[in-house]
Amino acid sequence: MDVLNFGDAIVAFLNIGLFSSLVSRFTGANTAILVFCSLLYLGCEPVETVGIMLTYLVFMRLTIYTQKKKLNFKHLQVFKGYKVFIPVLFMTEILAQMWADVPEEKRASRSQITGWIVTGSILTTIAMIAVKFIPEDFYYIIGGIAGFLICVFFYWLGQDRDRLSGIWDKIVLLSFIPLGLFGFDLADWLADMRRHVNSTLIAYNLPFIFLPVFFIGFLMANILFGIFSLSGLVITFFGALGLRLFGYYEMSRKGKANLVSLGFTVLAILLLLITAPEPTGVSKAVDAFLPSNHYGFTGILNMF
């Protein structure tokens, strides 16, 4: 595959953002897996792909949560005035307002949530580091197989609402491994698979775990690899535009697998495996216009 020029690359990334949101809106397919497959098809390299995905996920999650919870700037709960426009404070304000809507009996303690965030962040970071050691020519195969096995796993979970309920907190935390490896966001599917009996409160507190872990993963991508992805921002902008125009697919939370969503996700994976894309570093044509650091910092792992 030839390397795209700047204009063609921008158009390709905006199409990925818009059409992934559109397909997900009407089928329930996993948006992150759709974007992942599209990026590899374009020719993104493994580390580039993870950096783009984490940039996309953190800002897209903020968009999703503000879609559900409109911020009233006259009634902010944590930060007043213009401070709320600082990204980390904006994220904190959104989570604080969502926290107020969770019934007290379903709220996990702050120490529990902190522990889950720390564990998820460590797993994400370790998995992200492992990407550097995966051969580029085999990355799409490993990612495709992993995505397919995840679909099979969720189909199996949906056959019994009590299945794995005793270790549901561990299942949620293990989902951060494919996040670091491939940028897979499984939060919505995990929410949809809520067990009949939940041994912990983690199922009711997913936004307060996933969004901070996404943000920390986004920061670690910059620290480890020097990635602040303009490509990811382009995908996010048009993905958010699609979300605002067409809405967001609401999960039933009945604990049963949605065969349509699984089917479209598997279809995207099969198309990826059939096309057998070659990595060409296509995102560099776009990201070159947004240097991550004026002092030439390219990430800790790229210094060795």
Side-chain angles (χ1 to χ4, degrees):
M1 179 184 292
D2 296 330
V3 178
L4 301 179
N5 59 38
F6 176 78
D8 291 338
I10 284 286
V11 171
F13 286 126
L14 70 85
N15 280 328
I16 289 174
L18 182 61
F19 287 103
S20 293
S21 290
L22 186 62
V23 171
S24 179
R25 168 63 182 88
F26 294 106
T27 68
N30 188 291
T31 313
I33 295 180
L34 296 182
V35 173
F36 170 82
C37 293
S38 301
L39 290 175
L40 291 185
Y41 175 75
L42 276 183
C44 289
E45 297 171 353
V47 172
E48 289 178 339
T49 300
V50 173
I52 292 171
M53 290 301 302
L54 287 168
T55 304
Y56 167 78
L57 289 177
V58 68
F59 290 107
M60 199 63 182
R61 272 288 149 192
L62 285 171
T63 305
I64 291 169
Y65 291 150
T66 53
Q67 178 89 348
K68 297 178 180 179
K69 185 72 177 179
K70 304 296 184 183
L71 283 184
N72 187 333
F73 290 94
K74 295 182 180 180
H75 300 93
L76 298 177
Q77 297 183 15
V78 182
F79 301 101
K80 306 298 182 182
Y82 293 104
K83 292 180 180 179
V84 77
F85 291 102
I86 300 173
V88 67
L89 304 185
F90 182 67
M91 178 181 72
T92 304
E93 180 65 40
I94 292 172
L95 293 178
Q97 295 200 16
M98 294 177 67
W99 178 262
D101 293 336
V102 178
E104 287 192 18
E105 68 275 8
K106 293 183 179 179
R107 294 179 184 174
S109 67
R110 286 179 172 80
S111 61
Q112 283 180 304
I113 292 177
T114 301
W116 289 329
I117 292 172
V118 170
T119 303
S121 300
I122 292 172
L123 291 174
T124 300
T125 303
I126 293 173
M128 197 189 313
I129 293 172
V131 172
K132 190 172 178 64
F133 303 97
I134 298 176
E136 290 186 350
D137 292 337
F138 294 98
Y139 182 72
Y140 82 92
I141 299 175
I142 297 171
I145 293 174
F148 178 76
L149 291 177
I150 286 171
C151 291
V152 172
F153 176 71
F154 275 93
Y155 173 78
W156 176 74
L157 275 179
Q159 305 307 302
D160 183 352
R161 285 204 66 183
D162 293 325
R163 189 165 282 166
L164 301 183
S165 59
I167 57 169
W168 195 243
D169 56 339
K170 296 179 178 61
I171 298 298
V172 172
L173 293 175
L174 287 174
S175 73
F176 292 114
I177 295 176
L179 170 66
L181 287 172
F182 314 110
F184 292 170
D185 174 8
L186 302 178
D188 288 338
W189 280 10
L190 286 167
D192 200 28
M193 289 292 108
R194 184 179 294 172
R195 303 292 81 190
H196 184 261
V197 177
N198 292 284
S199 58
T200 73
L201 295 174
I202 196 169
Y204 305 103
N205 294 268
L206 295 183
F208 315 111
I209 303 166
F210 274 83
L211 184 54
V213 172
F214 287 170
F215 185 74
I216 293 170
F218 164 71
L219 293 178
M220 292 307 296
N222 202 355
I223 293 171
L224 295 174
F225 303 113
I227 293 175
F228 184 85
S229 177
L230 179 57
S231 307
L233 292 177
V234 171
I235 296 172
T236 301
F237 179 80
F238 285 92
L241 179 62
L243 190 148
R244 295 300 191 198
L245 290 175
F246 303 106
Y248 185 68
Y249 186 87
E250 293 290 341
M251 298 295 174
S252 67
R253 289 176 169 79
K254 294 180 179 179
K256 295 191 68 175
N258 183 333
L259 295 181
V260 175
S261 67
L262 290 175
F264 272 85
T265 305
V266 169
L267 177 61
I269 293 169
L270 290 177
L271 290 174
L272 171 67
L273 295 175
I274 290 172
T275 54
E278 296 179 3
T280 59
V282 63
S283 68
K284 291 185 175 69
V286 177
D287 293 342
F289 287 81
L290 184 64
S292 60
N293 192 299
H294 291 291
Y295 299 98
F297 178 68
T298 58
I300 293 174
L301 293 184
N302 291 326
M303 295 171 66
F304 303 99

